Amino acid sequence: MQKFLWPEMTMGVCYYPEHWPRALWESDLDRMLEAGITRIRIAEFAWSKFEPEEGVFTFDFFDEFLELCGRKGMKVILGTPTATPPAWLTQKYPEVLNCTMAGVPYRHGGRRHYNYNAPKYRELCARIVEQLARHYGHHPAVVGWQIDNELNCEIWEFYSEADAEAFRIFLKEKYGTLDRLNEAWGTVFWNQTYTDWAQVDVPRQVANQGWNPHLRLDYYRFISHSARSFCRLQSEILEKYKKPGDFITTNGIFGNLDNHQMMEESLNTYTYDSYPSFAFGLDRSPRESDDLNDRKWTRNLLETRSVCPHFGIMEQQSGANGWATRMEGPAPRPGQLTLWAMQSVAQGADFLSFFRWRTCTFGTEMYWHGILDYDNRDNRKLAEVKDFYRKFRTLDPLCGAENFAAFGLLKDYDNVWDSQVDVWHERIAWKSESEIFCASELCHTPYDLIYMRDDLSVETLRKYPLLFYPHPMLMNERRAGLLKQYVAQGGTLILGCRAGTKDMQGRFVMLPQPGLLQELTGTDVRDFTFASPNEDAVRMDWDGRELEVPVFNDILEPLAGTKVLANYRSSYYAGKASMTERRLGLGRTIHYGGTFSRELVEALLRYAGICEPFAAEIEAPPEVQLVRREKGGKHYYFALNFMDTAREIALKRPMKLLYTGESCDGVQTLPPFGTAVYEVG
Ligand code: GAL
């Protein structure tokens, strides 16, 4: 699909005309425009307004609203309303409902209660989308389309009969015969062998949660396939009717979904919904506790940028979040609304739309606060949105700018999904990714996420002098070959424990580990273990530094020609290699036997000579995030203070503060939650 680029920094808001008396519409639009809001996203939950009864379509309500938008000069992103099917639909066609794992349908009343595979739902969705597209495709106020709302949000597993049926079709296409499926899933284990396709099902409640991991891996692939095909169904219709130049998007980012492929097949641009105060939520899992609070939302933005380099934010948090049934984070404190919005812009968003214009006075989300509160008066949040807009537009020169990355972090969906079915894998993957992020932040060395996909080329990889691919347990010849090319052409590849141990079905390979990667690492892993919780932390020595080797330990035996960088210094494998380096062609592979700690990541970045790439131009304490976007030979530095107290940063040469146009040099003070964007060059 052709990619859409924002021509200038553009601000929007989510608005629900159906939630408010008509008498408010005009003043709402006037106040939005006065604040700098020129785009609104509407209608994504309004199916009943368009089709109050089956097959009866009425557009009067939204015609009237869009006519007003046209008059006022407000531009509209129209949502397809398929995330909330109407009550008449679920009553008449209960097969469209998603179910719990036990097969019990979700009833009408929440949202996303449908499944992607029921033929009836697909038919009725195609019809409502076609009706909308035909009616509004040429409307002058419409500039874009959002498909559904947050595909795979809240519920990302599907257990209806329609899904079970579609899963069997998916598997028949993949394996052809039951024999091949039985082989791929190792069904001989625990007598799971299938003799009839009708026995094959989506994962169900099984004794002791002893699911077949290979079945579940294919099941996640299937969910992704289903969500993508549901999106494609809609985008094909929208494409037929939309005006040239109008875009098709959806808002994410959620799991069990190959967002990259969905983008390629069905979307012109991608948008992310950013709610950083989730980081302060009451139900933070312990594994997330040692992170960098709201700054870690940057990780989601990196994911989004990897899907679509010039993305937008469809929903940017503007108030406290919560449902009638859930308490989430507190209200953004003064300055945080701008800080969080600038965090998005720093990572590549050129469109930023707040959620939502005004808090709803009723319904499940009456605590999900918008810019305006229930009383509808001007307030501090609206004042901050206006101030943000003034700053945002001074960034027009960098609209479309690329993000600088000192290194790359490789991921792939097969390993992500395997880590969902294999908790050993999950533990190591989660820890390493989180620590790589923390290290990169603390030493101001930004990175890109790169997904290992079939079309990934060595040229793309060569843009990065160094790549972490922490724990690619699932590996195949093609991927190993690409990594070999990258290294041979001069790259530094860093692999962690468990790399190369499985095939693409998630089964262990009967090869010396790290399997297909052995030629690259020049190591043999004959022994491996979880770092025992009953002993002191396992450590290693590297060049006089003592570093922990947390979570898991592969004990490395160097093959001829492989250099040992570090040895374990405790446990029964004290003195054995924990980290090695092997040269191949112009590059090298560093094989490390553990999960990564932030100290080790920083040490490796220094070892490779790529740490703190901005130091000659700008310096900041670790509490301040530094990001660089680049365009036309110019550097644009974002300095974002995530602390509630002031911080100093040092400019090493004169730079233009874009917000004011003034030239700055030397020490600058960022107020609590303060932001600045400097142009240099
Ligand atoms: C988003 C969703 C919105 C709204 C918001 C607050 O995930 O797209 O529709 O529900 O959260 O819950």
Side-chain angles (χ1 to χ4, degrees):
M1 294 267 291
Q2 179 155 12
K3 298 298 163 255
F4 173 85
L5 294 178
W6 297 90
E8 60 189 20
M9 296 305 194
T10 308
M11 194 165 88
V13 81
C14 302
Y15 188 62
Y16 299 89
E18 68 276 24
H19 293 179
W20 307 107
R22 277 180 169 75
L24 276 182
W25 289 357
E26 184 159 359
S27 64
D28 279 344
L29 292 179
D30 286 341
R31 290 167 84 193
M32 289 173 196
L33 288 162
E34 195 209 317
I37 291 165
T38 57
R39 303 286 186 279
I40 51 175
R41 194 261 331 251
I42 62 167
E44 79 279 12
F45 300 117
W47 192 329
S48 299
K49 285 274 175 208
F50 296 112
E51 191 180 1
E53 289 170 50
E54 184 173 1
V56 177
F57 296 94
T58 138
F59 299 100
D60 300 353
F61 182 87
F62 279 96
D63 281 356
E64 188 183 335
F65 181 70
L66 281 171
E67 193 271 325
L68 183 64
C69 291
R71 250 190 303 131
K72 295 282 172 188
M74 180 63 83
K75 299 295 182 197
V76 171
I77 301 162
L78 205 55
T80 68
T82 52
T84 47
W88 59 255
L89 194 161
T90 54
Q91 180 191 33
K92 184 162 175 200
Y93 306 108
E95 72 270 25
V96 311
L97 293 168
N98 188 12
C99 295
T100 66
M101 190 180 247
V104 179
Y106 293 109
R107 300 309 174 107
H108 196 82
R111 65 173 169 183
R112 308 208 52 75
H113 42 295
Y114 67 91
N115 66 66
Y116 297 126
N117 285 306
K120 196 61 185 179
Y121 197 56
R122 295 175 71 96
E123 175 196 322
L124 294 177
C125 285
R127 188 169 70 175
I128 185 73
V129 172
E130 176 126 21
Q131 287 282 336
L132 283 181
R134 192 184 293 152
H135 191 82
Y136 291 118
H138 279 85
H139 197 292
V142 172
V143 292
W145 295 83
Q146 175 187 296
I147 291 179
D148 198 276
N149 188 72
E150 298 190 331
L151 295 164
N152 281 5
C153 172
E154 288 153 8
I155 292 178
W156 62 347
E157 295 186 353
F158 295 82
Y159 299 104
S160 72
E161 274 313 309
D163 295 308
E165 187 49 39
F167 188 40
R168 284 187 279 272
I169 293 169
F170 173 84
L171 295 169
K172 273 183 199 162
E173 271 167 25
K174 179 163 181 175
Y175 295 110
T177 67
L178 270 182
D179 283 350
R180 288 181 41 205
L181 177 137
N182 279 318
E183 172 65 24
W185 288 2
T187 54
V188 66
F189 185 80
W190 281 358
N191 198 37
Q192 292 165 354
T193 307
Y194 299 104
T195 54
D196 181 346
W197 280 100
Q199 297 156 1
V200 180
D201 203 350
V202 293
R204 296 290 183 194
Q205 218 76 50
V206 295
N208 312 324
Q209 304 203 326
W211 295 287
N212 179 316
H214 319 293
L215 179 161
R216 286 177 74 210
L217 178 58
D218 269 339
Y219 172 68
Y220 288 135
R221 290 175 171 139
F222 159 73
I223 293 178
S224 172
H225 169 86
S226 304
R228 286 194 292 101
S229 118
F230 185 71
C231 184
R232 185 80 193 116
L233 173 79
Q234 299 200 21
S235 92
E236 273 171 0
I237 298 167
L238 294 174
E239 258 183 286
K240 275 198 294 191
Y241 294 99
K242 75 174 184 65
K243 301 191 288 298
D246 288 2
F247 60 82
I248 302 172
T249 188
T250 191
N251 50 343
I253 247 180
F254 299 95
N256 295 350
L257 181 47
D258 181 338
N259 286 286
H260 293 76
Q261 197 165 340
M262 181 169 75
M263 171 82 209
E264 239 170 69
E265 299 164 343
S266 304
L267 308 174
N268 306 114
T269 184
Y270 196 89
T271 60
Y272 175 64
D273 293 349
S274 189
Y275 292 99
S277 93
F278 274 129
F280 307 118
L282 300 179
D283 59 351
R284 280 169 62 185
S285 75
R287 68 179 185 179
E288 287 174 284
S289 61
D290 187 24
D291 54 18
L292 298 175
N293 282 336
D294 56 347
R295 216 197 307 185
K296 79 173 180 200
W297 238 240
T298 294
R299 286 177 64 184
N300 304 345
L301 296 161
L302 293 178
E303 288 275 349
T304 311
R305 191 170 79 218
S306 124
V307 174
C308 177
H310 304 287
F311 60 94
I313 301 290
M314 194 59 87
E315 301 180 15
Q316 177 76 43
Q317 180 169 0
S318 66
N321 45 9
W323 281 9
T325 48
R326 283 160 46 189
M327 281 177 84
E328 306 287 355
R333 287 179 274 176
Q336 263 183 334
L337 187 151
T338 304
L339 172 69
W340 290 342
M342 281 300 174
Q343 179 183 18
S344 299
V345 180
Q347 297 300 337
D350 294 338
F351 165 65
L352 193 128
S353 154
F354 289 99
F355 188 86
R356 51 186 275 163
W357 173 242
R358 185 169 42 236
T359 317
C360 203
T361 55
F362 50 83
T364 313
E365 289 196 344
M366 60 191 178
Y367 293 117
W368 207 286
H369 296 83
I371 299 171
L372 296 182
D373 293 313
Y374 314 112
D375 63 13
N376 197 29
R377 285 179 291 186
D378 285 6
N379 61 14
R380 73 161 170 99
K381 290 179 287 179
L382 182 61
E384 198 170 326
V385 166
K386 289 182 181 172
D387 183 58
F388 166 75
Y389 180 68
R390 192 189 54 70
K391 292 171 172 156
F392 192 36
R393 291 309 302 273
T394 68
L395 309 188
D396 274 345
L398 66 91
C399 188
E402 306 294 328
N403 274 75
F404 168 84
F407 66 97
L409 172 57
L410 268 173
K411 289 180 76 164
D412 65 85
Y413 287 104
D414 301 292
N415 274 288
V416 170
W417 295 333
D418 188 69
S419 77
Q420 292 174 190
V421 308
D422 173 346
V423 293
W424 293 50
H425 189 170
E426 183 192 34
R427 251 176 97 177
I428 58 176
W430 183 269
K431 168 85 178 164
S432 288
E433 276 185 47
S434 161
E435 291 292 289
I436 288 168
F437 172 71
C438 290
S440 130
E441 281 295 314
L442 296 174
C443 61
H444 301 307
T445 310
Y447 63 95
D448 275 344
L449 273 178
I450 306 126
Y451 269 72
M452 179 63 100
R453 298 165 44 74
D454 284 351
D455 60 357
L456 182 64
S457 67
V458 72
E459 288 69 39
T460 302
L461 293 182
R462 286 290 294 119
K463 287 197 272 181
Y464 306 95
L466 179 145
L467 290 172
F468 282 91
Y469 201 0
H471 309 290
M473 289 184 72
L474 277 59
M475 184 50 60
N476 62 21
E477 296 275 2
R478 203 191 54 76
R479 292 179 184 185
L482 184 63
L483 295 173
K484 228 174 280 171
Q485 280 181 25
Y486 167 74
V487 172
Q489 293 182 24
T492 294
L493 173 68
I494 302 182
L495 297 165
C497 67
R498 307 283 74 211
T501 48
K502 290 180 170 182
D503 66 16
M504 299 310 282
Q505 293 306 329
R507 298 173 311 191
F508 278 88
V509 291
M510 292 182 70
L511 291 171
Q513 296 173 6
L516 298 174
L517 297 170
Q518 193 171 52
E519 193 189 329
L520 271 170
T521 62
T523 49
D524 192 349
V525 181
R526 286 170 181 269
D527 198 0
F528 50 88
T529 176
F530 259 118
S532 168
N534 301 322
E535 289 172 17
D536 287 344
V538 177
R539 297 182 182 280
M540 67 178 189
D541 285 323
W542 184 24
D543 248 358
R545 263 178 309 236
E546 201 186 290
L547 294 159
E548 190 182 344
V549 193
V551 186
F552 202 96
N553 299 157
D554 276 348
I555 297 129
L556 312 181
E557 288 182 22
L559 304 180
T562 302
K563 179 171 148 196
V564 174
L565 293 180
N567 287 310
Y568 290 105
R569 55 175 291 157
S570 53
S571 198
Y572 64 88
Y573 37 95
K576 299 266 176 64
S578 56
M579 193 162 67
T580 58
E581 181 176 299
R582 169 86 160 195
R583 302 211 74 91
L584 176 85
L586 302 173
R588 59 186 164 174
T589 304
I590 294 176
H591 189 195
Y592 163 64
T595 64
F596 292 87
S597 67
R598 63 192 70 178
E599 293 77 17
L600 175 62
V601 173
E602 182 177 342
L604 285 165
L605 295 173
R606 291 197 190 285
Y607 180 68
I610 59 166
C611 202
E612 298 189 85
F614 306 146
E617 293 194 319
I618 185 168
E619 277 186 343
E623 299 84 359
V624 172
Q625 184 177 58
L626 286 184
V627 180
R628 185 163 91 195
R629 292 183 68 178
E630 301 175 347
K631 185 177 167 186
K634 293 204 162 131
H635 289 172
Y636 297 94
Y637 284 106
F638 287 74
L640 310 179
N641 177 12
F642 280 87
M643 296 293 113
D644 58 2
T645 48
R647 285 293 182 280
E648 286 186 344
I649 58 172
L651 309 186
K652 302 296 195 59
R653 59 179 65 167
M655 298 187 184
K656 183 160 94 177
L657 176 64
L658 285 178
Y659 296 169
T660 62
E662 70 190 293
S663 175
C664 304
D665 201 358
V667 173
Q668 312 289 314
T669 302
L670 289 174
F673 303 128
T675 70
V677 185
Y678 300 101
E679 181 186 88
V680 58

